[in-house]
Amino acid sequence: MRQVTINGKVHDVAVPDDMPLLWVLRDVLGMTGTKYGCGIAQCGACTVHLDGVAVRACQTTMDAVYGQPVTTIEGVGNTPVGAKVQAAWLEKEVVQCGYCHSGQIMSAAALLNENPKPTDTDIDDAMAGNICRCGTYVRIREAIHSIAI
């Protein structure tokens, strides 16, 4: 049994070190906001923060997680930047089908934590690994700009 801190709460988990964080979140802890998209870290639907850095939970194994705080879509709204990103997503009506947006929001929050006034290029670079099949990229960029300092 080992401990992992997710959204500020300590959880005891008994899982193999090579188990992907995504499966621990969804299947062990029942936190289904983080989505399974491709399983190969190409679509971004499973993006979470590991010690503040956006990572793909489908390819991040538990041995890399222990000792570092994890923030998921369920907890990002409790952070100042995360709350602003979620509000901007609603205000700018970014979501269509919604499947990718937990990962999109997590990537946007990580970007704005690192760079509070990103350019279009900064946004494109930070969000490049997040695929939106509905094509809401223009509204995503608009939402991020709307809360940039």
Side-chain angles (χ1 to χ4, degrees), residues 2-5 50-51 62-70:
R2 295 185 69 182
Q3 293 186 328
V4 61
T5 303
L50 182 60
D51 199 19
M62 290 306 293
D63 59 347
V65 172
Y66 296 120
Q68 298 185 75
V70 176

Side-chain angles (χ1 to χ4, degrees), residues 89 104 107-108 111-112 115-130 136-148:
W89 247 241
Q104 299 276 4
S107 291
L111 165 64
L112 290 165
N115 180 356
K117 192 163 179 67
T119 64
D120 282 347
T121 301
D122 296 332
I123 293 170
D124 292 346
D125 290 347
M127 303 301 289
N130 292 82
T136 64
Y137 301 111
V138 172
R139 286 185 281 180
I140 289 168
R141 185 184 297 137
E142 185 180 328
I144 292 170
H145 278 305
S146 76
I147 57 175

Side-chain angles (χ1 to χ4, degrees), residues 71-90:
T71 304
T72 68
I73 192 67
E74 290 91 347
V76 77
N78 296 326
T79 68
V81 170
K84 288 179 183 178
V85 172
Q86 288 178 331
W89 247 241
L90 293 173

Side-chain angles (χ1 to χ4, degrees), residues 3-69:
Q3 293 186 328
V4 61
T5 303
I6 301 170
N7 300 326
K9 182 179 178 190
V10 176
H11 299 269
D12 292 319
V13 294
V15 299
D17 284 348
D18 63 348
M19 179 180 270
L21 172 60
L22 180 61
W23 302 138
V24 174
L25 293 171
R26 293 183 61 80
D27 297 341
V28 176
L29 300 174
M31 302 174 78
T32 57
T34 303
K35 303 301 182 197
Y36 174 83
C38 66
I40 57 173
Q42 296 297 305
C43 73
C46 67
T47 303
V48 298
H49 297 172
L50 182 60
D51 199 19
V53 177
V55 299
R56 304 300 191 252
C58 71
Q59 293 292 303
T60 302
T61 56
M62 290 306 293
D63 59 347
V65 172
Y66 296 120
Q68 298 185 75

